[in-house]
Amino acid sequence: MSETFDAVDVIRTKRDRGALSDAQIDWVIDAYTRGSVAEEQMAALAMAILLNGMTRREIARWTDAMIRSGRRLDLTGLTRPTADKHSTGGVGDKITLPLTPLVASFGVAVPQLSGRGLGHTGGTLDKLESIPGWRAELTTAELRRQLDDVGAAICAAGDDLAPADKKLYALRDVTGTVESIPLIASSIMSKKIAEGTSALVLDVKVGSGAFMATRAEATELARTMVDLGTDAGVTTVALLTDMDTPLGRTVGNALEVREALEVLAGGGPTDVVDLTCALADEMLTAAGRDGHEVRAALSDGRAMDRWRAMITAQHGDPDAPLPTARVTHTITATERGVLQTLDARAVGVAAWRLGAGRARKEDAVHPAAGIELHAKPGDPVTVGAPLLTLHTDEPQRFERALAALDSAWRIGPDASTPRPLIIDRIA
Amino acid sequence: MSETFDAVDVIRTKRDRGALSDAQIDWVIDAYTRGSVAEEQMAALAMAILLNGMTRREIARWTDAMIRSGRRLDLTGLTRPTADKHSTGGVGDKITLPLTPLVASFGVAVPQLSGRGLGHTGGTLDKLESIPGWRAELTTAELRRQLDDVGAAICAAGDDLAPADKKLYALRDVTGTVESIPLIASSIMSKKIAEGTSALVLDVKVGSGAFMATRAEATELARTMVDLGTDAGVTTVALLTDMDTPLGRTVGNALEVREALEVLAGGGPTDVVDLTCALADEMLTAAGRDGHEVRAALSDGRAMDRWRAMITAQHGDPDAPLPTARVTHTITATERGVLQTLDARAVGVAAWRLGAGRARKEDAVHPAAGIELHAKPGDPVTVGAPLLTLHTDEPQRFERALAALDSAWRIGPDASTPRPLIIDRIA
């Protein structure tokens, strides 16, 4: 860095609704990564960004500076085209699990660098770690080899991938500065651009269980990320999808792996299958592979074969039994009618309290904890019919989980017209 | 504290433009003082407060919580009534020096707990420390004894006086969160209420050399502080005074002590004398002492006697020569006419760069460094007449000081009508 600035001047610029210069952004991200801008200074800046926003130029430069804080993977030498998917996070969102081997079965490499869950949304790595033996860590060399051999890898991002974002993400989590479109977009896109994929499909969740509660916010986030990807030379497209109710019929780590296996075996809940296939279509198209029939690869076992190879390559045993919870508790309907709503956030928080998620980064998750959904919005229910089954290893957790589910659903005489699963497409 | 909160929830409340509850404020100030709310969390909260504001109730509770973070002095056993003055900080503002002994000479005790300078505004303790032998530190017992014996003390605030404010003040300084009326008002008033004075006169500066550049902001700050004091049972009044141009004819520690001595000897610049007398009148009235003739106490030596007693009580030698600078540089006028403006901030920054101020808390100030003003706005000047003399111990400092003074004054054909020194009074 040739130019140096004063951290307070940079903070004041944004505080007073100014735009940060490219040089200011480069300096502050570099100085923060090296520790010469203090955590409290970045916290004040993050709050000013959250409240006063950033221009498109600022967001692009901020993203680029975070990429340059670490090493950018070079996947250009692979024998296949690359495509990746990112979801902004939801409840019951296990799509990455069937999607990655499905897309790989068409000869497109999927370098899925993932995270762990925090709060009420689950993390892909937590889910896969319920498979005995499976390891999230791959070196860059191992990742490249697996992408060449198997065509698919779901693994932890290395410490040298956008380290500025790693630090900032942890800071935002404890300072109430998560819910900022510029900061969310730059966080996601810095990691995805740095991982070296040439095509990217974004699944931007909208609804009670998502970070973006309204369609307007989700559209702005999707548009911001598509612009960032496109400007960085990554073919990027976004789907806006519903997160008012959980995806599929399971929430929790091992429970979701089980559901993903049903999908890979040609079955599974309709919404999970539909979204998996829609995203696979987008990824293949973005990677330049047209004329594919993705549903066939689920029913004829090609996707499952690729799943088994991918799990095995990371030391997992695809045939080992998955952990089950020590105790369960089933909630039944007390009236008859049609399930009209089942709130995603309430179910996510309840699953978290059962042990499926973590409150702090250093906590461990309980692989078997979670919730099964016996009915989804639109389904008829009768008195005494099971609605939800809660799974946990620690029965004392039921009380707080049940409290989270208080008024989490509504049963009425008529079916409400649910929002379509795929709300919009932004390219 | 009986109730506990999550720091992120408190930050989010203010971030989303909500009002913090009394219990949230009590908790966050206490937890921050004890270190269980982290610096980065308080930085994010301070930025949210700066951008989203606080209600009168929130500011009062915040102030009270900061007072309760430490010990409140009890001055009720003194033989005299108490009155104190606080200035929001300006350039050349040495008023506390003649004012404290002047008021004390009328039998009102002045417990002047002061700070050190940071940035371009000077600190009263730094000024007094240019007097050989003088010590800023007094124990509470020593302070009480001196107030009973001499009736006046200017000393450093103890570590147990509003410790939450001490921590927060240092944090705000490095996070761009100084310029917030709720945070400035609560910082000043928590210390002044905790020090136990029963009457308080505020000198709120307005103009280029002040924290508040506009009259509207200064009025809001003054009104907020008067309300806080009144609500806490302290008789409080505020004067809004001009800080577009420096006060008096000197800026810098020993230089300002010398000017204060001129005032105490019955001379000195008109503006310094006028403001000292106006503030003394207010303090005496607020303390219930009417019918005084403050100017007489300057001309007949009563105030000077009290000054000598006060300096001596704190181990200073009132007769010792004050330090003088190793080198000086005089700037002369290059045109004739009337000095129309002389910018307070520019002069403050230049004096700071000559060594009169500090960039970091741990820096030492140079007692002899500073600036003499040979002309004030409204004065006629001729070509070659001296305008400013710069004093420093380190000649290499002239260059940056002179750069700060670039376009700091304007000479024109007519006298502009200067703003009156005392702009408004708020009670």
Side-chain angles (χ1 to χ4, degrees):
Chain A
M1 295 294 131
S2 52
E3 213 170 343
T4 65
F5 292 89
D6 179 65
V8 175
D9 287 341
V10 174
I11 297 167
R12 279 186 180 144
T13 301
K14 182 49 65 187
R15 180 195 77 185
D16 299 340
R17 300 178 195 281
L20 302 177
S21 70
D22 289 354
Q24 281 181 314
I25 290 171
D26 292 350
W27 176 81
V28 81
I29 293 288
D30 178 66
Y32 176 60
T33 309
R34 289 184 292 100
S36 66
V37 163
E39 295 287 354
E40 55 267 32
Q41 294 176 317
M42 187 53 97
L45 181 58
M47 182 58 79
I49 290 170
L50 186 146
L51 290 171
N52 290 339
M54 289 210 282
T55 65
R56 180 171 171 176
R57 177 194 54 77
E58 286 177 285
I59 300 171
R61 190 70 179 207
W62 187 272
T63 305
D64 192 52
M66 292 213 292
I67 295 168
R68 282 183 282 110
S69 74
R71 212 161 52 85
R72 191 166 171 164
L73 287 186
D74 181 7
L75 298 178
T76 50
L78 289 182
T79 54
R80 320 166 198 229
T82 49
D84 193 9
K85 187 260 325 186
H86 181 82
S87 158
T88 59
V91 177
D93 182 4
K94 70 282 292 175
I95 302 292
T96 296
L97 276 50
L99 176 66
T100 301
L102 174 60
V103 171
S105 75
F106 289 93
V108 169
V110 186
Q112 181 76 48
L113 274 53
S114 295
R116 290 172 205 280
L118 199 62
H120 74 279
T121 63
T124 297
L125 301 182
D126 293 327
K127 294 171 192 178
L128 285 168
E129 282 176 345
S130 62
I131 300 171
W134 187 85
R135 290 190 208 158
E137 274 70 37
L138 290 181
T139 65
T140 304
E142 287 169 339
L143 171 63
R144 287 187 60 97
R145 198 176 323 124
Q146 187 171 330
L147 287 174
D148 258 333
D149 294 349
V150 182
I154 302 174
C155 62
D159 285 338
D160 53 356
L161 196 87
D165 175 66
K166 267 207 181 59
K167 245 186 119 170
L168 183 54
Y169 188 89
L171 176 69
R172 286 166 56 212
D173 192 55
V174 298
T175 55
T177 52
V178 168
E179 296 88 344
S180 153
I181 287 175
L183 294 178
I184 295 172
S186 56
S187 172
I188 292 171
M189 295 305 292
S190 64
K191 284 177 289 201
K192 288 294 160 185
I193 295 167
E195 85 177 18
T197 188
S198 50
L200 177 63
V201 177
L202 298 161
D203 181 4
V204 179
K205 302 293 189 193
V206 196
S208 81
F211 281 115
M212 301 287 120
T214 69
R215 180 167 171 175
E217 289 173 314
T219 302
E220 191 189 335
L221 175 60
R223 168 59 53 206
T224 304
M225 293 195 291
V226 167
D227 286 345
L228 284 172
T230 306
D231 289 353
V234 179
T235 306
T236 309
V237 61
L239 298 184
L240 254 59
T241 72
D242 179 73
M243 189 35 69
D244 270 339
T245 204
L247 258 176
R249 290 178 173 270
T250 59
V251 178
N253 300 298
L255 289 169
E256 294 193 40
V257 172
R258 222 168 260 135
E259 189 171 280
L261 288 168
E262 289 172 24
V263 173
L264 288 163
T270 312
D271 57 349
V272 177
V273 175
D274 286 352
L275 186 52
T276 301
C277 291
L279 290 166
D281 274 336
E282 292 287 357
M283 288 169 73
L284 292 170
T285 303
R289 294 281 162 112
D290 284 326
H292 31 74
E293 184 56 71
V294 295
R295 278 175 198 268
L298 290 176
S299 48
D300 65 16
R302 276 178 287 158
M304 181 66 98
D305 289 346
R306 203 58 63 127
W307 162 268
R308 294 175 62 87
M310 180 180 82
I311 296 301
T312 307
Q314 288 174 248
H315 309 279
D317 176 358
D319 297 312
L322 292 165
T324 51
R326 285 184 45 227
V327 282
T328 62
H329 172 87
T330 296
I331 301 169
T332 54
T334 54
E335 52 191 322
R336 63 170 293 161
V338 173
L339 185 64
Q340 302 199 310
T341 60
L342 178 57
D343 184 65
R345 174 171 293 261
V347 174
V349 170
W352 178 36
R353 290 181 177 176
L354 289 168
R358 52 172 68 79
R360 296 149 180 263
K361 265 195 292 295
E362 55 276 19
D363 294 348
V365 300
H366 297 217
I371 298 179
E372 269 178 284
L373 283 55
H374 303 291
K376 299 265 288 182
D379 289 352
V381 291
T382 54
V383 175
L387 286 180
L388 302 167
T389 298
L390 282 56
H391 297 237
T392 187
D393 295 325
E394 301 174 346
Q396 73 275 18
R397 290 176 174 265
F398 282 133
E399 188 181 336
R400 290 195 67 229
L402 288 168
L405 291 169
D406 199 41
S407 69
W409 64 87
R410 205 174 65 238
I411 294 171
D414 315 304
S416 62
T417 313
R419 180 154 70 172
L421 179 61
I422 296 171
I423 299 164
D424 202 358
R425 177 180 191 275
I426 290 163
Chain B
M1 296 297 130
S2 54
E3 213 171 344
T4 65
F5 292 88
D6 179 63
V8 175
D9 287 341
V10 175
I11 298 167
R12 279 187 180 142
T13 301
K14 184 46 66 187
R15 179 196 77 186
D16 299 341
R17 299 178 198 280
L20 302 177
S21 70
D22 288 355
Q24 281 181 314
I25 290 171
D26 291 350
W27 176 81
V28 81
I29 293 289
D30 178 66
Y32 175 60
T33 309
R34 288 185 291 99
S36 67
V37 162
E39 295 287 353
E40 55 265 32
Q41 293 176 316
M42 186 53 95
L45 180 57
M47 182 59 81
I49 289 169
L50 186 147
L51 290 170
N52 290 340
M54 288 210 282
T55 65
R56 180 172 171 176
R57 177 195 55 77
E58 285 177 285
I59 300 172
R61 191 70 179 204
W62 186 273
T63 304
D64 191 52
M66 292 212 294
I67 294 168
R68 281 184 282 111
S69 74
R71 212 162 53 85
R72 190 166 172 166
L73 286 187
D74 180 9
L75 298 179
T76 50
L78 288 183
T79 53
R80 319 164 198 232
T82 49
D84 194 9
K85 187 263 318 190
H86 180 83
S87 157
T88 60
V91 177
D93 183 4
K94 72 281 294 173
I95 302 291
T96 297
L97 276 49
L99 176 65
T100 302
L102 174 59
V103 171
S105 74
F106 288 92
V108 169
V110 186
Q112 181 76 48
L113 274 55
S114 296
R116 288 171 207 282
L118 199 63
H120 74 278
T121 63
T124 297
L125 301 182
D126 294 327
K127 294 171 194 178
L128 285 169
E129 282 175 345
S130 61
I131 299 171
W134 188 84
R135 292 189 207 156
E137 275 69 37
L138 290 181
T139 65
T140 304
E142 288 169 339
L143 171 62
R144 286 187 61 95
R145 197 176 324 127
Q146 187 170 331
L147 288 175
D148 259 332
D149 294 348
V150 182
I154 302 174
C155 63
D159 285 340
D160 53 356
L161 196 87
D165 175 67
K166 267 208 180 57
K167 244 186 119 170
L168 183 54
Y169 188 88
L171 175 69
R172 286 166 56 213
D173 191 56
V174 298
T175 55
T177 51
V178 168
E179 296 88 344
S180 155
I181 286 174
L183 294 178
I184 294 172
S186 55
S187 172
I188 292 171
M189 295 305 292
S190 65
K191 284 177 291 199
K192 288 294 159 185
I193 296 167
E195 85 176 18
T197 189
S198 50
L200 177 63
V201 176
L202 298 162
D203 180 5
V204 178
K205 302 293 189 190
V206 195
S208 80
F211 281 116
M212 302 287 119
T214 69
R215 181 169 170 172
E217 289 171 314
T219 302
E220 191 188 337
L221 175 61
R223 168 59 54 207
T224 303
M225 293 195 293
V226 168
D227 286 346
L228 284 171
T230 307
D231 289 353
V234 178
T235 307
T236 309
V237 62
L239 298 184
L240 255 59
T241 71
D242 180 71
M243 191 34 69
D244 271 338
T245 203
L247 257 177
R249 291 180 171 268
T250 58
V251 177
N253 300 298
L255 289 170
E256 294 193 39
V257 172
R258 219 168 264 136
E259 189 170 281
L261 288 168
E262 289 173 24
V263 173
L264 288 163
T270 311
D271 57 350
V272 177
V273 175
D274 287 351
L275 186 52
T276 300
C277 291
L279 290 166
D281 273 335
E282 293 287 356
M283 288 169 73
L284 292 171
T285 304
R289 294 281 162 115
D290 285 325
H292 31 72
E293 185 55 71
V294 296
R295 277 173 201 267
L298 289 176
S299 48
D300 66 15
R302 275 178 288 158
M304 180 66 97
D305 289 345
R306 203 58 63 124
W307 162 269
R308 295 176 61 87
M310 178 180 84
I311 296 301
T312 306
Q314 289 174 249
H315 309 278
D317 177 357
D319 297 312
L322 292 164
T324 50
R326 284 184 45 229
V327 283
T328 61
H329 172 88
T330 296
I331 301 169
T332 54
T334 54
E335 52 191 320
R336 63 170 290 161
V338 173
L339 185 64
Q340 302 199 312
T341 60
L342 177 56
D343 185 65
R345 175 172 294 262
V347 173
V349 170
W352 178 36
R353 290 181 178 176
L354 290 167
R358 52 171 69 79
R360 299 150 179 260
K361 264 194 291 296
E362 55 274 19
D363 295 347
V365 300
H366 297 216
I371 297 179
E372 270 178 282
L373 284 55
H374 302 291
K376 298 264 290 181
D379 289 351
V381 292
T382 54
V383 175
L387 286 179
L388 303 167
T389 297
L390 283 56
H391 296 238
T392 188
D393 295 325
E394 301 173 346
Q396 73 275 17
R397 290 176 174 265
F398 281 134
E399 188 180 339
R400 290 194 67 229
L402 288 167
L405 290 169
D406 200 40
S407 67
W409 64 86
R410 205 172 65 239
I411 294 171
D414 314 305
S416 61
T417 314
R419 177 153 70 173
L421 179 61
I422 297 171
I423 300 165
D424 202 358
R425 178 180 190 275
I426 290 164

